[in-house]
């Protein structure tokens, strides 16, 4: 582990935290440590700090050191996927415990709450109006409040500090309750929820942190020593660990996170502004636009008011237009996922959110004519032209 000055800026930390030159070979980039076991000099006296690779591994450890620094957190655990991070945290609860979450939480998280955690006796209440319904939803058994901002795919922004106040007020009565923020959509470059009062931050590093659409990996970041010890114990017991190679790739990926997210946000703002002016478009959801309902929160909560790389918009002409748009785009690839260097587009009603009944879907703004864009880091003008030519084709039907 390399000690890193917490006063360094984001980019310096991204490049140097957890990246000390190898003490033996001088290698500037850490080698991939594939060994599953580590030699001991006497029984139970390891030569170094490692014993067995499920418990800890140098590459995983380097990545964790880097991410903890970037999230302004004390501890980080890297897991086998974002979903494994969710499962691990839910495993720390026991029968009878209760969770409060939001109606438009990530589909896989919703599935874990409603199809897995409930079978172990952990119940989740969902709300589309957290601030007004919190008091009526919170119980003596409530252990977690689980939120995501911006939401997917409608990109509504939640004031994290305000939610943290609600949770802290309950904790002040002596109740054990923690606020979890899934920070996947913004990445630690744009937002640091721990600084805003969250207790646990989770990421699907599959998205912006790795950033190259070639690793599935999850992260958990906390300040509490107690929570970290609990999660580490569970991770070792369950075995939901990332491979050394995936840890190494994600660590390499995160070193350019600031450049990628800055570029994606700048291009996304340009595209969102053009969409807003385009008469083929019904409405645009993008936190960086002045017209966004929570633009004020975006300005205070996001680094430099950056809106991130995700946009969604409604297109005139219904499903036929949306399908034509999807096939007409040449640079934006029609695919699920987000946060990679390449631009992607998807149709939530037919793809990521197809499992939600139409009425519930539309209640949270996911209409059949909604398109979601993950803006990559290609040339902004090429991306803009691609969107505009695809809109012309789609609405000429
Ligand atoms: C993708 C995603 C997850 C799940 O992560 P995996 O790495 O795919 O398991 C969780 N939350 C959000 C917001 C995501 O986008």
């Amino acid at each position: 582990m390399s000690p890193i000055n917490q006063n360094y800026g984001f980019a310096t930390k991204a490049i140097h935290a957890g990246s000390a030159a190898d003490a033996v070979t001088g290698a500037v980039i850490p080698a991939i440590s594939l060994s599953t076991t580590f030699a001991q000099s006497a029984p139970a006296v390891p030569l170094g700090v490692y014993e067995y690779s499920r418990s800890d591994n140098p590459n995983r450890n380097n990545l964790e050191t880097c991410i903890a620094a970037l999230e302004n957190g004390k501890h980080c655990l890297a897991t086998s996927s974002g979903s494994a991070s969710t499962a691990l945290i839910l495993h720390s609860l026991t029968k009878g415990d209760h969770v409060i979450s939001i109606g438009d939480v990530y589909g896989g998280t919703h599935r874990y709450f409603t199809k897995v955690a409930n079978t172990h006796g952990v119940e989740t209440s969902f709300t589309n109006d957290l601030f007004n319904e919190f008091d009526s939803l919170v119980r003596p058994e409530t252990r977690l409040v689980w939120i995501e901002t911006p939401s997917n795919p409608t990109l509504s922004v939640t004031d994290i500090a305000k939610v943290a106040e609600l949770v802290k007020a309950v904790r002040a009565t002596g109740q054990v309750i923690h606020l979890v923020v899934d920070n996947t959509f913004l990445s630690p470059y744009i937002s640091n929820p721990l600084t805003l009062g969250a207790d646990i931050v989770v990421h699907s590093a599959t998205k912006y942190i790795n950033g190259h659409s070639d690793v599935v990996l999850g992260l958990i970041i906390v300040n509490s020593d107690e929570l970290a010890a609990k999660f580490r114990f569970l991770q070792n017991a369950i075995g939901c660990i990332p491979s050394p190679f995936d840890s190494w790739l994600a660590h390499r990926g995160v070193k350019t996170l600031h450049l990628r997210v800055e570029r994606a946000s700048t291009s996304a703002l340009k595209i969102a502004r053009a969409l807003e002016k385009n008469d083929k478009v019904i409405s645009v959801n993008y936190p960086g636009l002045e017209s966004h309902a929570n633009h004020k929160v975006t300005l205070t909560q996001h680094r430099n008011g950056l809106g991130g790389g995700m946009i969604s918009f409604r297109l005139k002409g219904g499903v036929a237009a949306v399908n034509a748009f999807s096939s007409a785009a040449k640079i934006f690839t029609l695919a699920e996922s987000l946060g990679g260097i390449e631009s992607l587009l998807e149709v939530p009603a037919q793809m990521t959110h197809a499992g939600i009944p139409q009425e519930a879907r539309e209640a949270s703004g996911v209409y059949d004519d909604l398109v979601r864009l993950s803006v990559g880091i290609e040339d902004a003008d090429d991306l803009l032209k691609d969107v505009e030519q695809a809109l012309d084709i789609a609405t000429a039907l």
Side-chain angles (χ1 to χ4, degrees), residues 81-84 106 109 148 182 184-185 204-207 216-218 338:
S81 68
S83 305
Y106 176 71
T109 308
E148 212 173 288
D182 183 333
T184 299
F185 265 48
S204 168
T206 314
K207 317 296 168 50
V216 174
L217 192 141
L338 59 121

Side-chain angles (χ1 to χ4, degrees), residues 40-153:
Q40 311 198 0
S41 58
V45 184
L47 283 180
V49 298
Y50 301 100
E51 288 176 48
Y52 184 60
S53 203
R54 169 160 40 73
S55 313
D56 209 355
N57 164 278
N59 300 108
R60 197 165 106 212
N61 203 245
N62 288 339
L63 171 66
E64 291 171 342
T65 301
C66 181
I67 300 297
L70 298 183
E71 276 291 11
N72 298 325
K74 197 167 166 196
H75 307 280
C76 172
L77 283 85
T79 66
S80 46
S81 68
S83 305
S85 293
T86 303
L88 181 59
I89 294 167
L90 268 290
H91 269 71
S92 72
L93 304 189
T94 54
K95 200 173 161 194
D97 285 349
H98 175 244
V99 179
I100 297 174
S101 191
I102 49 172
D104 50 6
V105 70
Y106 176 71
T109 308
H110 187 273
R111 180 173 57 210
Y112 196 88
F113 288 152
T114 56
K115 301 229 157 73
V116 186
N118 60 325
T119 67
H120 298 262
V122 174
E123 198 191 326
T124 305
S125 304
F126 298 94
T127 170
N128 290 319
D129 189 0
L130 184 63
F131 293 114
N132 286 315
E133 293 183 356
F134 184 82
D135 287 344
S136 61
L137 291 175
V138 74
R139 308 176 188 169
E141 301 79 30
T142 306
R143 297 283 167 262
L144 296 177
V145 176
W146 189 296
I147 64 166
E148 212 173 288
T149 177
S151 67
N152 175 29

Side-chain angles (χ1 to χ4, degrees), residues 20-21 26 108 170 215 251 255 296 343 345 369 371 376 390:
V170 177
V215 171
H251 193 185
K255 290 177 187 181
K296 270 201 190 124
S343 293
L345 88 94
D369 54 15
V371 173

